[in-house]
Amino acid sequence: MKKFIPFFKPNIEKEEIEEVIDTLNSGWLTTGEKTKTFENHFNTFLENKNNCIAVSSATAGLHLAVVSLGIGLGDEVIVPNHTFTSSAEIVRYTGAEVKLVDVCEDNLNIDPKLIESSINEKTKAIIVVHFGGLACQMDEINKIAKKNNLFVIEDAAHALPTTYKKTIIGNLDTHATIFSFYANKTITTGEGGMVVTKNKSLAKRMKVLRIHGIDSDVFDRYITEKPKWFYQVVDAGFKYNLSDIASSIGIHQMKKVHTFQKRRQEIAEFYLKELSDLNVNLPQKAGNGDIHSWHLFILRLNNKDEAVRNKFIEDMFKLNIGCSVHYIPLNQHLYWKNRYNLNSTQFPVSDKIYKQIVSLPIYYDLTDNEVEYISNSIKKLLS
Ligand SMILES: *Cc1c(COP(=O)(O)O)cnc(C)c1O
């Protein structure tokens, strides 16, 4: 292939571009009507069962969720070891500590069997990550959480659209779910996120904290004659609102959530079929008619030595194919290793798997030719 195939490319069409131009011409660039429309579209997608709060990133949304649930100094939160640092860092913002837990070898989702032994009197919440777009074992996790009186927060940065036992992620019985619209996620606003909760008072608190702790209801309640300049700060909030420029992109990306997923599903099925004879581990499919978002397609080579995987990625690059690794486990990062004195015997699954994983290109704009070329290149390199 003459042209380089990037690991990811967002699909941005005329509609997104025209909406952004319309916003730029409107004179209103920050959070306003377009963001409200985006939130409404998102809520429609979730069958109008939720409160949807647009934020500047999923990281901001995750932080709003833990703060608004009252998590802070002296508390502990359970987080999977095999994730992006964002899932865990937001716990540290509050002063609370992170308890990392190993994942299942089959799908890299948090291992429910390891959660219970990580719970102590300080534990307040479990953050789960629907890794790569395949839902975690939520019945088991919710049961453990209920029994131990813990909050459950879903990091759904990979999970749009994903279902668990036919329920769309965002509508499960948990405290908050957070989606990401970062540039390489399943839909994008460049940077952005959405916090979703069924709990009205939690939603209210997150809305206030999203914008400097300014409470517009206090304004409505106490001021009958409403001067436009008046507002009240009721908390030390954050600057986590999403601009109407970003929301303009989101409004049109939302319409394509399922179209994008269908294409990724097609590509995933092609890879699964074409690579099935190789000496590799292929990713798990969703069972029982559920939707896997296929945000990531992770191939596992059968090596024990990391150098083999690294060379594979270099060889793919030489063939003009961009690959990636999701993720370097948290216990292998200096900050987390030093903070909690972690060693590589504590997370046998993520440490073993880290040496073998390669993420392949999987996105709407990949052509059939490119997908075939990628799969043929892998066959050539591995046989
Ligand atoms: C991308 C990602 C995030 C952070 O998303 P942002 O919108 O960039 O803040 C959090 N968790 C996981 C698992 C991610 O992949």
Side-chain angles (χ1 to χ4, degrees):
M1 189 107 351
K2 281 211 180 65
K3 207 171 95 237
F4 184 74
I5 304 171
F7 172 67
F8 185 79
K9 205 170 82 190
N11 172 273
I12 299 290
E13 291 173 313
K14 206 167 118 242
E15 289 78 7
E16 283 92 336
I17 294 168
E18 281 174 355
E19 196 73 46
V20 168
I21 293 172
D22 181 67
T23 302
L24 294 174
N25 284 328
S26 75
W28 190 274
L29 305 185
T30 183
T31 311
E33 286 307 315
K34 299 264 170 115
T35 301
K36 255 187 220 149
T37 303
F38 182 34
E39 288 173 336
N40 288 340
H41 284 12
F42 208 88
N43 204 16
T44 305
F45 172 80
L46 295 177
E47 299 151 355
N48 292 309
K49 287 180 181 158
N50 267 294
N51 303 279
C52 299
I53 302 154
V55 284
S56 51
S57 67
T59 308
L62 284 159
H63 183 208
L64 279 184
V66 288
V67 170
S68 302
L69 287 167
I71 290 162
L73 205 64
D75 297 336
E76 258 185 42
V77 176
I78 289 171
V79 180
N81 184 49
H82 206 106
T83 184
F84 186 53
T85 192
S86 168
S87 316
E89 71 184 49
I90 48 97
V91 173
R92 295 293 305 124
Y93 295 178
T94 70
E97 301 296 341
V98 172
K99 182 76 186 175
L100 295 171
V101 168
D102 209 356
V103 292
C104 302
E105 175 143 9
D106 298 345
N107 53 28
L108 299 180
N109 277 332
I110 193 165
D111 188 343
K113 290 193 294 300
L114 301 176
I115 293 178
E116 206 134 30
S117 58
S118 304
I119 296 172
N120 60 45
E121 65 285 353
K122 293 180 184 161
T123 312
K124 288 288 182 308
I126 305 169
I127 296 180
V128 300
V129 179
H130 304 296
F131 198 87
L134 183 71
C136 293
Q137 290 163 260
M138 294 308 293
D139 282 350
E140 287 81 350
I141 292 164
N142 278 334
K143 207 164 131 198
I144 296 166
K146 284 222 169 75
K147 188 173 143 201
N148 294 280
N149 202 18
L150 306 177
F151 299 121
V152 177
I153 300 164
E154 295 169 76
D155 177 341
H158 301 176
L160 180 70
T162 291
T163 62
Y164 175 74
K165 299 192 174 169
K166 304 289 164 66
T167 300
I168 192 106
I169 294 298
N171 282 352
L172 296 179
D173 185 21
T174 58
H175 296 84
T177 305
I178 295 90
F179 297 90
S180 173
F181 313 129
Y182 180 66
N184 68 9
K185 293 295 172 15
T186 62
I187 71 162
T188 185
T189 60
E191 299 277 358
M194 191 72 74
V195 196
V196 161
T197 180
K198 289 199 199 71
N199 180 323
K200 278 210 173 77
S201 62
L202 182 64
K204 174 73 208 295
R205 187 156 162 68
M206 294 198 288
K207 262 182 202 159
V208 169
L209 288 177
R210 168 176 68 170
I211 185 79
H212 303 296
I214 293 173
D215 190 336
S216 56
D217 292 346
V218 167
F219 173 99
D220 290 340
R221 236 178 294 137
Y222 296 110
I223 314 291
T224 41
E225 295 290 307
K226 294 176 188 170
K228 276 226 153 60
W229 49 265
F230 188 83
Y231 60 87
Q232 273 294 300
V233 171
V234 298
D235 208 334
F238 309 97
K239 186 63 169 56
Y240 283 167
N241 57 307
L242 189 69
S243 81
D244 268 16
I245 304 172
S247 295
S248 304
I249 307 171
I251 287 167
H252 296 281
Q253 292 271 301
M254 264 326 282
K255 297 175 184 163
K256 301 187 275 189
V257 167
H258 288 295
T259 314
F260 289 168
Q261 190 278 338
K262 280 203 184 76
R263 177 61 185 153
R264 291 193 306 273
Q265 171 98 29
E266 247 172 47
I267 296 168
E269 273 165 17
F270 186 83
Y271 284 152
L272 287 171
K273 180 164 66 72
E274 290 295 311
L275 306 177
S276 61
D277 289 339
L278 299 174
N279 181 25
V280 294
N281 279 304
L282 295 169
Q284 213 175 47
K285 291 202 239 179
N288 308 316
D290 267 319
I291 300 175
H292 187 318
S293 79
W294 289 111
H295 168 54
L296 298 174
F297 189 100
I298 297 181
L299 191 68
R300 268 178 63 199
L301 309 179
N302 267 325
N303 56 290
K304 294 205 170 62
D305 180 5
E306 194 180 325
V308 175
R309 186 272 315 273
N310 297 350
K311 180 162 187 309
F312 177 82
I313 293 179
E314 270 170 45
D315 290 343
M316 289 288 276
F317 186 80
K318 282 179 196 151
L319 292 168
N320 265 344
I321 302 163
C323 293
S324 192
V325 173
H326 295 90
Y327 292 90
I328 303 163
L330 294 184
N331 69 306
Q332 295 193 28
H333 285 289
L334 275 177
Y335 172 77
W336 298 109
K337 192 153 79 184
N338 292 339
R339 173 125 202 121
Y340 298 117
N341 274 317
L342 303 174
N343 61 53
S344 57
T345 60
Q346 288 162 282
F347 306 95
V349 175
S350 55
D351 278 336
K352 172 185 163 194
I353 279 171
Y354 165 61
K355 298 173 182 158
Q356 308 176 328
I357 49 179
V358 182
S359 304
L360 303 182
I362 182 162
Y363 47 91
Y364 184 76
D365 280 10
L366 272 183
T367 65
D368 287 349
N369 263 343
E370 288 172 326
V371 178
E372 244 169 74
Y373 173 74
I374 293 166
S375 130
N376 287 338
S377 301
I378 296 167
K379 284 188 207 163
K380 203 160 69 190
L381 288 176
L382 294 181
S383 50

PDB file of all heavy atoms in Angstrom, residues 8-11 13 186 256 258-264 267 362-367:
ATOM      1  N   PHE A   8      -5.926   5.630  13.432  1.00  0.00           N
ATOM      2  CA  PHE A   8      -7.308   6.118  13.523  1.00  0.00           C
ATOM      3  C   PHE A   8      -7.498   7.387  12.720  1.00  0.00           C
ATOM      4  O   PHE A   8      -6.596   8.210  12.602  1.00  0.00           O
ATOM      5  CB  PHE A   8      -7.726   6.391  14.977  1.00  0.00           C
ATOM      6  CG  PHE A   8      -9.174   6.784  15.085  1.00  0.00           C
ATOM      7  CD1 PHE A   8     -10.160   5.814  15.040  1.00  0.00           C
ATOM      8  CD2 PHE A   8      -9.555   8.121  15.169  1.00  0.00           C
ATOM      9  CE1 PHE A   8     -11.508   6.162  15.088  1.00  0.00           C
ATOM     10  CE2 PHE A   8     -10.900   8.473  15.223  1.00  0.00           C
ATOM     11  CZ  PHE A   8     -11.872   7.495  15.180  1.00  0.00           C
ATOM     12  N   LYS A   9      -8.669   7.542  12.155  1.00  0.00           N
ATOM     13  CA  LYS A   9      -9.031   8.781  11.478  1.00  0.00           C
ATOM     14  C   LYS A   9     -10.507   9.064  11.764  1.00  0.00           C
ATOM     15  O   LYS A   9     -11.348   8.189  11.544  1.00  0.00           O
ATOM     16  CB  LYS A   9      -8.822   8.608   9.967  1.00  0.00           C
ATOM     17  CG  LYS A   9      -8.580   9.909   9.223  1.00  0.00           C
ATOM     18  CD  LYS A   9      -8.133   9.671   7.792  1.00  0.00           C
ATOM     19  CE  LYS A   9      -9.327   9.410   6.908  1.00  0.00           C
ATOM     20  NZ  LYS A   9      -9.034   8.948   5.573  1.00  0.00           N
ATOM     21  N   PRO A  10     -10.836  10.252  12.283  1.00  0.00           N
ATOM     22  CA  PRO A  10     -12.251  10.547  12.541  1.00  0.00           C
ATOM     23  C   PRO A  10     -12.989  10.795  11.222  1.00  0.00           C
ATOM     24  O   PRO A  10     -12.381  11.195  10.234  1.00  0.00           O
ATOM     25  CB  PRO A  10     -12.212  11.825  13.382  1.00  0.00           C
ATOM     26  CG  PRO A  10     -10.914  12.466  13.065  1.00  0.00           C
ATOM     27  CD  PRO A  10      -9.954  11.373  12.673  1.00  0.00           C
ATOM     28  N   ASN A  11     -14.299  10.550  11.229  1.00  0.00           N
ATOM     29  CA  ASN A  11     -15.124  10.823  10.050  1.00  0.00           C
ATOM     30  C   ASN A  11     -15.845  12.148  10.267  1.00  0.00           C
ATOM     31  O   ASN A  11     -16.773  12.250  11.072  1.00  0.00           O
ATOM     32  CB  ASN A  11     -16.139   9.681   9.850  1.00  0.00           C
ATOM     33  CG  ASN A  11     -17.140  10.010   8.762  1.00  0.00           C
ATOM     34  OD1 ASN A  11     -18.174  10.636   9.019  1.00  0.00           O
ATOM     35  ND2 ASN A  11     -16.845   9.615   7.542  1.00  0.00           N
ATOM     36  N   GLU A  13     -17.825  15.175   8.198  1.00  0.00           N
ATOM     37  CA  GLU A  13     -18.426  15.463   6.897  1.00  0.00           C
ATOM     38  C   GLU A  13     -18.945  16.904   6.844  1.00  0.00           C
ATOM     39  O   GLU A  13     -18.810  17.677   7.772  1.00  0.00           O
ATOM     40  CB  GLU A  13     -19.538  14.453   6.609  1.00  0.00           C
ATOM     41  CG  GLU A  13     -18.962  13.062   6.373  1.00  0.00           C
ATOM     42  CD  GLU A  13     -20.034  12.001   6.252  1.00  0.00           C
ATOM     43  OE1 GLU A  13     -20.947  11.967   7.093  1.00  0.00           O
ATOM     44  OE2 GLU A  13     -19.952  11.194   5.316  1.00  0.00           O
ATOM     45  N   THR A 186     -15.233   6.715  19.559  1.00  0.00           N
ATOM     46  CA  THR A 186     -16.171   6.213  18.535  1.00  0.00           C
ATOM     47  C   THR A 186     -16.992   7.333  17.887  1.00  0.00           C
ATOM     48  O   THR A 186     -17.400   7.208  16.742  1.00  0.00           O
ATOM     49  CB  THR A 186     -17.114   5.129  19.089  1.00  0.00           C
ATOM     50  OG1 THR A 186     -17.905   5.710  20.137  1.00  0.00           O
ATOM     51  CG2 THR A 186     -16.355   3.930  19.619  1.00  0.00           C
ATOM     52  N   LYS A 256     -24.651   9.366  13.709  1.00  0.00           N
ATOM     53  CA  LYS A 256     -23.919   8.313  13.023  1.00  0.00           C
ATOM     54  C   LYS A 256     -23.386   7.225  13.958  1.00  0.00           C
ATOM     55  O   LYS A 256     -22.619   6.356  13.533  1.00  0.00           O
ATOM     56  CB  LYS A 256     -22.775   8.942  12.219  1.00  0.00           C
ATOM     57  CG  LYS A 256     -23.274   9.958  11.170  1.00  0.00           C
ATOM     58  CD  LYS A 256     -22.165  10.457  10.263  1.00  0.00           C
ATOM     59  CE  LYS A 256     -21.431  11.623  10.893  1.00  0.00           C
ATOM     60  NZ  LYS A 256     -20.492  12.284   9.955  1.00  0.00           N
ATOM     61  N   HIS A 258     -24.623   4.558  15.247  1.00  0.00           N
ATOM     62  CA  HIS A 258     -24.865   3.162  14.826  1.00  0.00           C
ATOM     63  C   HIS A 258     -24.252   2.859  13.466  1.00  0.00           C
ATOM     64  O   HIS A 258     -23.777   1.745  13.233  1.00  0.00           O
ATOM     65  CB  HIS A 258     -26.358   2.854  14.843  1.00  0.00           C
ATOM     66  CG  HIS A 258     -26.912   2.754  16.235  1.00  0.00           C
ATOM     67  ND1 HIS A 258     -26.542   1.770  17.116  1.00  0.00           N
ATOM     68  CD2 HIS A 258     -27.785   3.547  16.908  1.00  0.00           C
ATOM     69  CE1 HIS A 258     -27.164   1.943  18.271  1.00  0.00           C
ATOM     70  NE2 HIS A 258     -27.932   3.019  18.173  1.00  0.00           N
ATOM     71  N   THR A 259     -24.247   3.838  12.565  1.00  0.00           N
ATOM     72  CA  THR A 259     -23.609   3.648  11.250  1.00  0.00           C
ATOM     73  C   THR A 259     -22.113   3.357  11.432  1.00  0.00           C
ATOM     74  O   THR A 259     -21.572   2.446  10.799  1.00  0.00           O
ATOM     75  CB  THR A 259     -23.762   4.938  10.408  1.00  0.00           C
ATOM     76  OG1 THR A 259     -25.105   5.391  10.521  1.00  0.00           O
ATOM     77  CG2 THR A 259     -23.397   4.711   8.965  1.00  0.00           C
ATOM     78  N   PHE A 260     -21.474   4.134  12.286  1.00  0.00           N
ATOM     79  CA  PHE A 260     -20.044   3.917  12.561  1.00  0.00           C
ATOM     80  C   PHE A 260     -19.837   2.520  13.162  1.00  0.00           C
ATOM     81  O   PHE A 260     -18.929   1.797  12.773  1.00  0.00           O
ATOM     82  CB  PHE A 260     -19.505   4.960  13.562  1.00  0.00           C
ATOM     83  CG  PHE A 260     -19.374   6.366  13.019  1.00  0.00           C
ATOM     84  CD1 PHE A 260     -19.141   7.431  13.891  1.00  0.00           C
ATOM     85  CD2 PHE A 260     -19.448   6.636  11.662  1.00  0.00           C
ATOM     86  CE1 PHE A 260     -18.989   8.729  13.416  1.00  0.00           C
ATOM     87  CE2 PHE A 260     -19.304   7.935  11.172  1.00  0.00           C
ATOM     88  CZ  PHE A 260     -19.078   8.983  12.058  1.00  0.00           C
ATOM     89  N   GLN A 261     -20.706   2.170  14.146  1.00  0.00           N
ATOM     90  CA  GLN A 261     -20.546   0.872  14.828  1.00  0.00           C
ATOM     91  C   GLN A 261     -20.692  -0.277  13.837  1.00  0.00           C
ATOM     92  O   GLN A 261     -19.929  -1.247  13.894  1.00  0.00           O
ATOM     93  CB  GLN A 261     -21.565   0.740  15.972  1.00  0.00           C
ATOM     94  CG  GLN A 261     -21.332  -0.466  16.894  1.00  0.00           C
ATOM     95  CD  GLN A 261     -21.886  -1.768  16.340  1.00  0.00           C
ATOM     96  OE1 GLN A 261     -22.786  -1.768  15.489  1.00  0.00           O
ATOM     97  NE2 GLN A 261     -21.337  -2.886  16.800  1.00  0.00           N
ATOM     98  N   LYS A 262     -21.669  -0.169  12.913  1.00  0.00           N
ATOM     99  CA  LYS A 262     -21.912  -1.252  11.949  1.00  0.00           C
ATOM    100  C   LYS A 262     -20.674  -1.501  11.102  1.00  0.00           C
ATOM    101  O   LYS A 262     -20.312  -2.644  10.825  1.00  0.00           O
ATOM    102  CB  LYS A 262     -23.100  -0.914  11.057  1.00  0.00           C
ATOM    103  CG  LYS A 262     -24.411  -1.189  11.740  1.00  0.00           C
ATOM    104  CD  LYS A 262     -25.550  -1.396  10.737  1.00  0.00           C
ATOM    105  CE  LYS A 262     -26.863  -1.574  11.490  1.00  0.00           C
ATOM    106  NZ  LYS A 262     -27.399  -0.288  12.016  1.00  0.00           N
ATOM    107  N   ARG A 263     -20.027  -0.424  10.669  1.00  0.00           N
ATOM    108  CA  ARG A 263     -18.813  -0.562   9.860  1.00  0.00           C
ATOM    109  C   ARG A 263     -17.691  -1.203  10.687  1.00  0.00           C
ATOM    110  O   ARG A 263     -16.996  -2.100  10.204  1.00  0.00           O
ATOM    111  CB  ARG A 263     -18.388   0.811   9.323  1.00  0.00           C
ATOM    112  CG  ARG A 263     -17.101   0.814   8.521  1.00  0.00           C
ATOM    113  CD  ARG A 263     -17.199  -0.080   7.274  1.00  0.00           C
ATOM    114  NE  ARG A 263     -15.918  -0.159   6.571  1.00  0.00           N
ATOM    115  CZ  ARG A 263     -15.559  -1.191   5.817  1.00  0.00           C
ATOM    116  NH1 ARG A 263     -16.356  -2.231   5.657  1.00  0.00           N
ATOM    117  NH2 ARG A 263     -14.394  -1.192   5.209  1.00  0.00           N
ATOM    118  N   ARG A 264     -17.529  -0.745  11.935  1.00  0.00           N
ATOM    119  CA  ARG A 264     -16.476  -1.339  12.772  1.00  0.00           C
ATOM    120  C   ARG A 264     -16.769  -2.819  13.021  1.00  0.00           C
ATOM    121  O   ARG A 264     -15.857  -3.647  13.024  1.00  0.00           O
ATOM    122  CB  ARG A 264     -16.335  -0.582  14.103  1.00  0.00           C
ATOM    123  CG  ARG A 264     -15.775   0.824  13.968  1.00  0.00           C
ATOM    124  CD  ARG A 264     -15.367   1.407  15.318  1.00  0.00           C
ATOM    125  NE  ARG A 264     -16.453   1.363  16.284  1.00  0.00           N
ATOM    126  CZ  ARG A 264     -17.375   2.309  16.421  1.00  0.00           C
ATOM    127  NH1 ARG A 264     -17.325   3.398  15.681  1.00  0.00           N
ATOM    128  NH2 ARG A 264     -18.335   2.181  17.322  1.00  0.00           N
ATOM    129  N   ILE A 267     -15.696  -4.765  10.019  1.00  0.00           N
ATOM    130  CA  ILE A 267     -14.229  -4.890   9.983  1.00  0.00           C
ATOM    131  C   ILE A 267     -13.778  -5.925  11.015  1.00  0.00           C
ATOM    132  O   ILE A 267     -12.951  -6.789  10.725  1.00  0.00           O
ATOM    133  CB  ILE A 267     -13.559  -3.518  10.249  1.00  0.00           C
ATOM    134  CG1 ILE A 267     -13.914  -2.532   9.131  1.00  0.00           C
ATOM    135  CG2 ILE A 267     -12.052  -3.661  10.388  1.00  0.00           C
ATOM    136  CD1 ILE A 267     -13.566  -1.079   9.421  1.00  0.00           C
ATOM    137  N   ILE A 362      -9.309   0.278  13.151  1.00  0.00           N
ATOM    138  CA  ILE A 362     -10.735  -0.107  13.010  1.00  0.00           C
ATOM    139  C   ILE A 362     -11.584   1.157  13.098  1.00  0.00           C
ATOM    140  O   ILE A 362     -11.778   1.704  14.174  1.00  0.00           O
ATOM    141  CB  ILE A 362     -11.144  -1.195  14.046  1.00  0.00           C
ATOM    142  CG1 ILE A 362     -12.596  -1.623  13.850  1.00  0.00           C
ATOM    143  CG2 ILE A 362     -10.892  -0.748  15.492  1.00  0.00           C
ATOM    144  CD1 ILE A 362     -12.952  -2.954  14.518  1.00  0.00           C
ATOM    145  N   TYR A 363     -12.022   1.662  11.952  1.00  0.00           N
ATOM    146  CA  TYR A 363     -12.844   2.885  11.939  1.00  0.00           C
ATOM    147  C   TYR A 363     -13.608   2.993  10.628  1.00  0.00           C
ATOM    148  O   TYR A 363     -13.270   2.359   9.627  1.00  0.00           O
ATOM    149  CB  TYR A 363     -11.993   4.138  12.180  1.00  0.00           C
ATOM    150  CG  TYR A 363     -10.717   4.238  11.378  1.00  0.00           C
ATOM    151  CD1 TYR A 363     -10.685   4.863  10.130  1.00  0.00           C
ATOM    152  CD2 TYR A 363      -9.530   3.706  11.877  1.00  0.00           C
ATOM    153  CE1 TYR A 363      -9.497   4.967   9.407  1.00  0.00           C
ATOM    154  CE2 TYR A 363      -8.341   3.798  11.153  1.00  0.00           C
ATOM    155  CZ  TYR A 363      -8.333   4.424   9.918  1.00  0.00           C
ATOM    156  OH  TYR A 363      -7.169   4.515   9.198  1.00  0.00           O
ATOM    157  N   TYR A 364     -14.639   3.822  10.680  1.00  0.00           N
ATOM    158  CA  TYR A 364     -15.605   3.942   9.580  1.00  0.00           C
ATOM    159  C   TYR A 364     -14.949   4.186   8.227  1.00  0.00           C
ATOM    160  O   TYR A 364     -15.351   3.612   7.216  1.00  0.00           O
ATOM    161  CB  TYR A 364     -16.587   5.074   9.900  1.00  0.00           C
ATOM    162  CG  TYR A 364     -17.688   5.214   8.879  1.00  0.00           C
ATOM    163  CD1 TYR A 364     -18.752   4.321   8.866  1.00  0.00           C
ATOM    164  CD2 TYR A 364     -17.647   6.234   7.925  1.00  0.00           C
ATOM    165  CE1 TYR A 364     -19.765   4.434   7.931  1.00  0.00           C
ATOM    166  CE2 TYR A 364     -18.658   6.356   6.987  1.00  0.00           C
ATOM    167  CZ  TYR A 364     -19.714   5.454   6.996  1.00  0.00           C
ATOM    168  OH  TYR A 364     -20.705   5.569   6.070  1.00  0.00           O
ATOM    169  N   ASP A 365     -13.942   5.043   8.177  1.00  0.00           N
ATOM    170  CA  ASP A 365     -13.351   5.444   6.895  1.00  0.00           C
ATOM    171  C   ASP A 365     -12.391   4.429   6.278  1.00  0.00           C
ATOM    172  O   ASP A 365     -11.932   4.633   5.152  1.00  0.00           O
ATOM    173  CB  ASP A 365     -12.627   6.796   7.041  1.00  0.00           C
ATOM    174  CG  ASP A 365     -13.600   7.977   6.996  1.00  0.00           C
ATOM    175  OD1 ASP A 365     -14.831   7.729   7.041  1.00  0.00           O
ATOM    176  OD2 ASP A 365     -13.139   9.127   6.920  1.00  0.00           O
ATOM    177  N   LEU A 366     -12.076   3.341   6.989  1.00  0.00           N
ATOM    178  CA  LEU A 366     -11.207   2.306   6.392  1.00  0.00           C
ATOM    179  C   LEU A 366     -11.924   1.677   5.201  1.00  0.00           C
ATOM    180  O   LEU A 366     -13.086   1.281   5.310  1.00  0.00           O
ATOM    181  CB  LEU A 366     -10.909   1.204   7.403  1.00  0.00           C
ATOM    182  CG  LEU A 366      -9.728   1.311   8.359  1.00  0.00           C
ATOM    183  CD1 LEU A 366      -9.652   0.041   9.193  1.00  0.00           C
ATOM    184  CD2 LEU A 366      -8.413   1.557   7.637  1.00  0.00           C
ATOM    185  N   THR A 367     -11.231   1.541   4.078  1.00  0.00           N
ATOM    186  CA  THR A 367     -11.856   0.916   2.906  1.00  0.00           C
ATOM    187  C   THR A 367     -11.683  -0.607   2.972  1.00  0.00           C
ATOM    188  O   THR A 367     -10.813  -1.117   3.699  1.00  0.00           O
ATOM    189  CB  THR A 367     -11.200   1.420   1.604  1.00  0.00           C
ATOM    190  OG1 THR A 367      -9.835   0.967   1.594  1.00  0.00           O
ATOM    191  CG2 THR A 367     -11.241   2.941   1.504  1.00  0.00           C
TER     192      THR A 367
END
